[in-house]
Amino acid sequence: MRIFTAVITSLFLLTLPAVADAANWAVDQAHSRIGFRATQEDAGFEGYFRSWNAAISFDPKRLATSHVTVNIALASAVTGNKDRDAYLPTADWFDARRFPSASFTAAKFVDKGAGHYEAIGDLSIKGIKRQVMLPFTLAITGNTAKMSGDLVLDRTWFNVGAGKWKDPAEVGTKVTVVVTVVARAAR
């Protein structure tokens, strides 16, 4: 009777869906970047954040348990223009003294096929939180993952660019966030 009970119990356990956590990844900062593209007086410019970190737990086969949190030091924004770079941390822009970091947290992912995904999560800048969708591509080879994605935002959603900078003729309201991440499977 014990053997029969053990066999039935084993078969029952095998039919239950496996609940496992997604794989953890360590970002290779030297080969990763969070950048942005925008316009000032109708001329395009690019920049990036020198300081950011990410906690990534992602598995294409376990999207339900995948999650990502990214924190960006807003005062680390650089564009290569010293005047613009001096303005970005000020209260009219990122207000980095009061709001030192921005964050993106996603726990919902959609597989669009052929290595294309969507991350749906909350982006917080200057204490304002909005749900956004980041489309991205992902290629995993061995223990290395390469991800890239672009997200178009309206800077006014987050009160970024106040005072004379609020005028879209001075600085365009659309900003494209460009993300490139190389990560290694964490051990």
Side-chain angles (χ1 to χ4, degrees), residues 14-174:
L14 287 175
T15 63
L16 292 176
V19 178
D21 288 333
N24 291 321
W25 297 87
V27 174
D28 178 348
Q29 289 284 338
H31 296 98
S32 301
R33 182 176 172 137
I34 297 177
F36 52 90
R37 293 189 302 259
T39 58
Q40 183 175 7
E41 297 175 345
D42 293 324
F45 70 90
E46 295 184 8
Y48 68 98
F49 295 95
R50 291 177 300 200
S51 180
W52 59 275
N53 62 63
I56 302 170
S57 183
F58 186 87
D59 187 332
K61 295 178 182 168
R62 294 183 178 96
L63 293 180
T65 60
S66 295
H67 51 90
V68 172
T69 300
V70 180
N71 291 298
I72 302 166
L74 293 175
S76 74
V78 292
T79 65
N81 177 295
K82 74 176 190 175
D83 293 332
R84 186 184 301 125
D85 292 351
Y87 277 115
L88 286 176
T90 68
D92 282 347
W93 286 96
F94 289 134
D95 200 359
R97 186 175 303 214
R98 287 183 50 212
F99 305 100
S101 65
S103 67
F104 175 68
T105 303
K108 182 176 180 185
F109 298 88
V110 179
D111 185 346
K112 303 302 277 183
H116 294 264
Y117 298 88
E118 293 175 349
I120 300 159
D122 292 325
L123 177 63
S124 296
I125 302 174
K126 291 180 75 172
I128 301 168
K129 184 189 298 185
R130 290 189 64 119
Q131 188 176 74
V132 297
M133 187 272 296
L134 170 67
F136 66 96
T137 59
L138 177 69
I140 300 175
T141 306
N143 70 344
T144 302
K146 294 180 181 179
M147 172 271 188
S148 62
D150 292 1
L151 168 65
V152 178
L153 302 172
D154 185 321
R155 66 178 173 80
T156 63
W157 294 346
F158 303 97
N159 293 329
V160 173
K164 76 174 192 171
W165 308 111
K166 194 170 188 173
D167 181 358
E170 286 288 326
V171 179
T173 58
K174 300 299 180 202

